[in-house]
Amino acid sequence: MSLKKAKALIAHSERLCVLTGAGISAESGLKTFRDAGGLWEDHPVEKVATPEGFQEDPELVWRFYNARRKAADIATPNAAHLALARLESGGVRKHKMKPKSGANGNGNGLHPEAEAPITILTQNIDGLHQQAGSQNVIELHGSIWKVRCTGCGLITTDYPIEVPILPRCEECEALLRPHVVWFGEALEEEVLAAAEEAVMACDAFLVVGTSALVQPAASYPFIAARRKVPVIEVNMEHTTVSPIAQFTLLGKAGEILPKII
Ligand code: BV8
Ligand code: ZN
């Protein structure tokens, strides 16, 4: 029953906002953070995903991110990523996406069309949504494929899968770091603004594969619910979002999303 209702809600939404987390990439073979054996358990968070950790041991951090770059390089989009890309391309719905203007080449749709039928806010840094063909993707926490100079801020995307350790900037010799948002670091202003615009403009909100523990991403479904926008959750378990969701569809995203899209 809720599958049918969820499907109808999505089919009739004019502007769907989708928040995705590590769970949507699990069926692509990428480990999630918190499930048993998740990534964090191999490394304490403060050692590999904080600026202090990088300061203390940049080699350990680069080894951690190189391992994830290798895993992300092997991974391919799964049925859940592909279903969201199909939804956006209008393959399954009446509206056609207006030709996108302004989205910058690196797939971070930072100037989403306000009336875009779908905006994906992803906490993932693996790039699988873009690889699946989704255009309107906002990478809340950056991208594993981008490397940023700690000195001059130069961002490059053409490093080999395994970044030579320790990488230094060709321009200013400073140390390079993954262009991702670590704990205790602020998300980029324009990312926050674009995300908030999408959450405030949506008329339906889909949450897929996230434990919804990390702020500010976890706040978005709650903001939508406060706007009386229906929230649909797809997860293997109940989360903090479940009490405010119209439905929590329990199961694998790769099986459920193709059914409701
Ligand atoms: C900020 C990028 C402020 C890097 C990530 C106390 C102390 C210190 C900080 C805080 C604190 N309280 C709050 C904070 C803020 C902190 C925070 O929220 N901490 C939490 C842990 C309490 N947030 C921050 O620090 C953020 N910045 O607040 O800045 C500020 C303002 C101004 C100036 C300075 C600072 C920045 C947070 C970003 C951190 N970076 N990632 C990288 O990836 O390496 S977070 C990282 O973890 C992910 O991006 C993601 O956000 C999170 C993992 O969560 P999930 O994606 O949900 O994955 P998880 O494993 O948890 O869950 C998987 C789910 O999928 C499960 O529910 C599972 O059931 C489900 N699932 C599994 N398989 C499937 C499935 N579902 C469907 N199908 C399947 N097949
Ligand atoms: Zn530099």
Side-chain angles (χ1 to χ4, degrees):
M1 185 48 179
S2 34
L3 260 182
K4 241 174 107 195
K5 279 196 188 153
K7 188 175 168 134
L9 269 176
I10 289 173
H12 292 97
S13 81
E14 296 286 323
R15 285 198 293 284
L16 176 69
C17 201
V18 190
L19 174 68
T20 65
I24 199 168
S25 296
E27 291 153 87
S28 298
L30 294 181
K31 285 196 270 184
T32 67
F33 296 90
R34 286 173 181 78
D35 289 355
L39 270 176
W40 303 121
E41 289 167 23
D42 300 354
H43 294 287
V45 170
E46 54 285 347
K47 285 265 176 288
V48 290
T50 59
E52 297 75 18
F54 185 69
Q55 193 77 31
E56 195 193 304
D57 188 346
E59 288 207 17
L60 170 70
V61 173
W62 267 114
R63 281 203 301 278
F64 174 64
Y65 281 94
N66 269 340
R68 291 178 67 195
R69 283 167 69 99
K70 270 199 299 206
D73 181 48
I74 298 166
T76 53
N78 64 57
H81 298 107
L82 294 168
L84 289 175
R86 254 201 331 276
L87 179 64
E88 180 187 68
S89 62
V92 284
R93 284 203 310 182
K94 43 191 182 307
H95 347 266
K96 280 279 167 235
M97 174 90 166
K98 264 175 55 184
K100 282 205 55 41
S101 57
N104 46 33
N106 59 9
N108 212 349
L110 288 185
H111 309 285
E113 299 288 333
E115 66 281 8
I118 176 170
T119 303
I120 295 176
L121 308 178
T122 189
Q123 300 171 86
N124 301 335
I125 60 174
D126 56 33
L128 289 179
H129 283 300
Q130 294 91 325
Q131 239 182 286
S134 289
Q135 308 271 317
N136 215 20
V137 182
I138 297 177
E139 294 177 313
L140 297 170
H141 297 155
S143 165
I144 199 152
W145 300 120
K146 292 181 194 162
V147 174
R148 184 174 84 232
C149 175
T150 58
C152 66
L154 184 75
I155 293 177
T156 47
T157 54
D158 47 11
Y159 261 89
I161 301 301
E162 204 157 341
V163 175
I165 297 179
L166 280 166
R168 290 209 168 266
C169 176
E170 276 149 27
E171 302 295 317
C172 73
E173 288 290 305
L175 202 49
L176 302 180
R177 58 166 278 180
H179 182 56
V180 298
V181 181
W182 281 327
F183 288 98
E185 291 188 320
L187 278 66
E188 288 181 14
E189 275 311 309
E190 56 172 15
V191 166
L192 283 172
E196 271 145 33
E197 180 184 345
V199 176
M200 295 313 281
C202 73
D203 58 12
F205 198 103
L206 178 61
V207 191
V208 186
T210 180
S211 58
L213 294 173
V214 172
Q215 297 301 342
S219 64
Y220 294 143
F222 293 85
I223 295 170
R226 265 204 300 283
R227 290 188 47 236
K228 306 273 176 274
V229 163
V231 174
I232 302 160
E233 179 182 33
V234 175
N235 201 306
M236 306 282 279
E237 62 184 10
H238 282 98
T239 70
T240 53
V241 169
S242 308
I244 54 112
Q246 296 234 346
F247 323 100
T248 293
L249 305 172
L250 289 175
K252 292 185 172 180
E255 289 161 16
I256 293 179
L257 281 202
K259 285 190 192 135
I260 57 175
I261 285 179

